[in-house]
Amino acid sequence: MTEGAVSVAAAAGSPSAALRLALVPATEAAAWAQCLEAYEAAGGAVAVYHLPEWLQAHRAGSHFLLAATAPDGSCRCLCAATISPTRAMPGHRVLWADRFQGGLEPQAEQVVLGGIARLAARQPRLLRAQVRLLHCADERRRRWGQWLAAAGFTRCSQPRSYRMTAVVDLRPAEADIMAGFHATARIWRRAVAKHPVRIAPVADTAYAARMEALLEETRRRTGGTFSAEMPTRLIDSAVRYPERIRILGLFRNDTAGPEALLAVAAGYLHGDHAEYATAAYARGSDLKLALGYGLAWELMRWAKAAGADWFDFGGITAGTHADAQDRLGGISDFKRYFSQDVREVAEEWILEPSPVRARLAAFVRSVVLR
């Protein structure tokens, strides 16, 4: 399970004085679980994307956990990485490490990021390795970026995921959090109680087909994409990890069965913060009700009760509903009604061992997507 020893500078007596890098494949489920438990026991925050079952259900490829462990058995930092084949260049592979959100001390963070670089270097015919960093503190992301740059990575100019997001501080009392919302958000949140609807968890795969239809309708409006198998997998994940994944639905009280589901929103708890992971809404309802506001608020309440300090609205654009060039402008307006605190929280770094092959793969992708 252990991939060599890593020497780092640390104060005498610190648990970081002799960190080792553990490389755990998903096939070693017990060892992976032990690392997660040790990290949380030490006060670390585990992202949903670092759970082996979630990775196996939602991402194709071979999955590994990289963990910085101390001699006393504690885990000081960790991050999962997936290695998968790429259709853009047959016979080649890509490495993706999502939501590296730091560790308990800088030395441990350096060990894990260095381990990702070493894992990438060991892969034959690697097309690219990509690491996504996420943290509200600019100085921490800057430090991580410096380490990745020293390992040959460069910052992505076109990241796969969002860079900016709307942030809600969950530390105040609920009444004080709501007081910070725009009046529109407060009005529509209260309006839920005035209509024949209810908000409840979605925990039955009988609703998967209805969720799929809502997602398809929503992504068609916004220009996004989704996996047709994702709703079933997401519900299964929420049932398996109810403390980490929450799916809420807005249901009609006067309709039975899956068709009663009018809107859905899912939240992921990543330790000290929660992510507004996905949402979808039906159009054409006879109810005079904006469907998403009550769901977003209930996800915030769930995250706050679980101990999260802040809520990540899952990305935001600069556009508005009036911006024809930004198909996400209306969704971004919705998020701004909850928070005007828009921050840069994420960045992506990429390593391309062969720039020539990378350019060829980019050309192939551009041809396929035409």
Side-chain angles (χ1 to χ4, degrees):
M1 148 179 145
T2 302
E3 175 64 15
V6 180
S7 298
V8 293
S14 165
S16 302
L19 292 173
R20 296 178 67 86
L21 176 67
L23 179 63
V24 186
T27 52
E28 296 185 18
W32 193 309
Q34 183 180 6
C35 284
L36 297 184
E37 291 171 5
Y39 188 49
E40 290 189 318
V46 173
V48 167
Y49 304 139
H50 300 162
L51 303 175
E53 295 87 356
W54 190 94
L55 288 165
Q56 290 166 341
H58 295 270
R59 291 184 178 158
S62 300
H63 311 294
F64 299 89
L65 183 71
L66 297 100
T69 61
D72 63 3
S74 65
C75 182
R76 315 304 296 173
C77 182
L78 56 77
C79 184
T82 297
I83 299 171
S84 57
T86 173
R87 288 177 294 179
M89 185 74 70
H92 288 71
R93 297 188 287 179
V94 295
L95 184 152
W96 173 242
D98 194 5
R99 219 173 185 92
F100 178 86
Q101 52 190 40
L104 300 180
E105 61 264 319
Q107 293 86 359
E109 296 169 344
Q110 190 171 12
V111 167
V112 171
L113 289 175
I116 294 173
R118 289 169 57 191
L119 180 62
R122 289 174 47 190
Q123 303 308 310
R125 300 174 72 81
L126 183 74
L127 188 63
R128 70 177 179 276
Q130 203 155 335
V131 181
R132 183 163 183 258
L133 312 175
L134 193 141
H135 203 281
C136 275
D138 293 343
E139 64 274 12
R140 293 193 70 176
R141 296 196 318 276
R142 188 177 304 114
R143 181 174 70 227
W144 302 338
Q146 290 172 347
W147 292 334
L148 288 172
F153 285 75
T154 58
R155 186 171 176 174
C156 289
S157 58
Q158 296 181 321
R160 292 172 49 168
S161 191
Y162 61 90
R163 183 174 59 87
M164 310 294 295
T165 194
V167 171
V168 177
D169 186 353
L170 298 178
R171 291 170 297 181
E174 287 188 3
D176 294 328
I177 296 173
M178 284 189 289
F181 297 166
H182 188 278
T184 299
R186 296 198 301 270
I187 290 169
W188 286 122
R189 184 200 65 80
R190 292 194 299 266
V192 172
K194 302 176 182 178
H195 290 79
V197 297
R198 69 188 185 281
I199 293 175
V202 178
D204 189 335
T205 53
Y207 290 98
R210 176 59 174 166
M211 278 183 62
E212 179 182 332
L214 293 175
L215 285 165
E216 185 175 18
E217 177 185 346
T218 300
R219 303 292 170 83
R220 197 164 46 236
R221 294 194 303 265
T222 61
T225 60
F226 80 104
S227 166
E229 299 179 3
M230 191 269 280
T232 298
R233 295 175 179 178
L234 184 56
I235 293 172
D236 286 340
S237 296
V239 171
R240 184 178 184 88
Y241 295 107
E243 75 285 0
R244 299 182 188 270
I245 301 174
R246 185 77 158 177
I247 308 174
L248 293 178
L250 183 73
F251 297 85
R252 291 192 71 124
N253 293 331
D254 54 2
T255 304
E259 294 305 311
L261 183 62
L262 297 177
V264 65
Y268 294 166
L269 184 66
H270 301 301
D272 64 343
H273 68 285
E275 175 192 5
Y276 186 71
T278 191
Y281 318 106
R283 282 282 180 90
S285 169
D286 60 335
L287 299 175
K288 295 182 179 179
L289 175 67
L291 303 179
Y293 290 89
L295 293 174
W297 169 241
E298 290 302 323
L299 284 178
M300 290 181 215
R301 294 187 67 214
W302 164 74
K304 178 177 175 60
D309 292 332
W310 58 285
F311 191 79
D312 168 7
F313 253 111
I316 196 168
T317 67
T320 69
H321 71 282
D323 187 350
Q325 301 301 313
D326 187 351
R327 298 178 70 176
L328 298 175
I331 296 174
S332 296
D333 279 341
F334 162 80
K335 296 175 180 180
R336 278 187 285 265
Y337 283 138
F338 289 98
S339 177
Q340 290 292 321
D341 184 5
V342 176
R343 307 184 197 177
E344 180 178 7
V345 298
E347 54 192 69
E348 293 176 22
W349 288 74
I350 189 169
L351 173 69
E352 294 176 335
S354 173
V356 173
R357 284 202 298 264
R359 286 195 296 271
L360 179 57
F363 172 74
V364 171
R365 284 195 299 269
S366 69
V367 171
V368 171
L369 295 174
R370 282 179 185 171

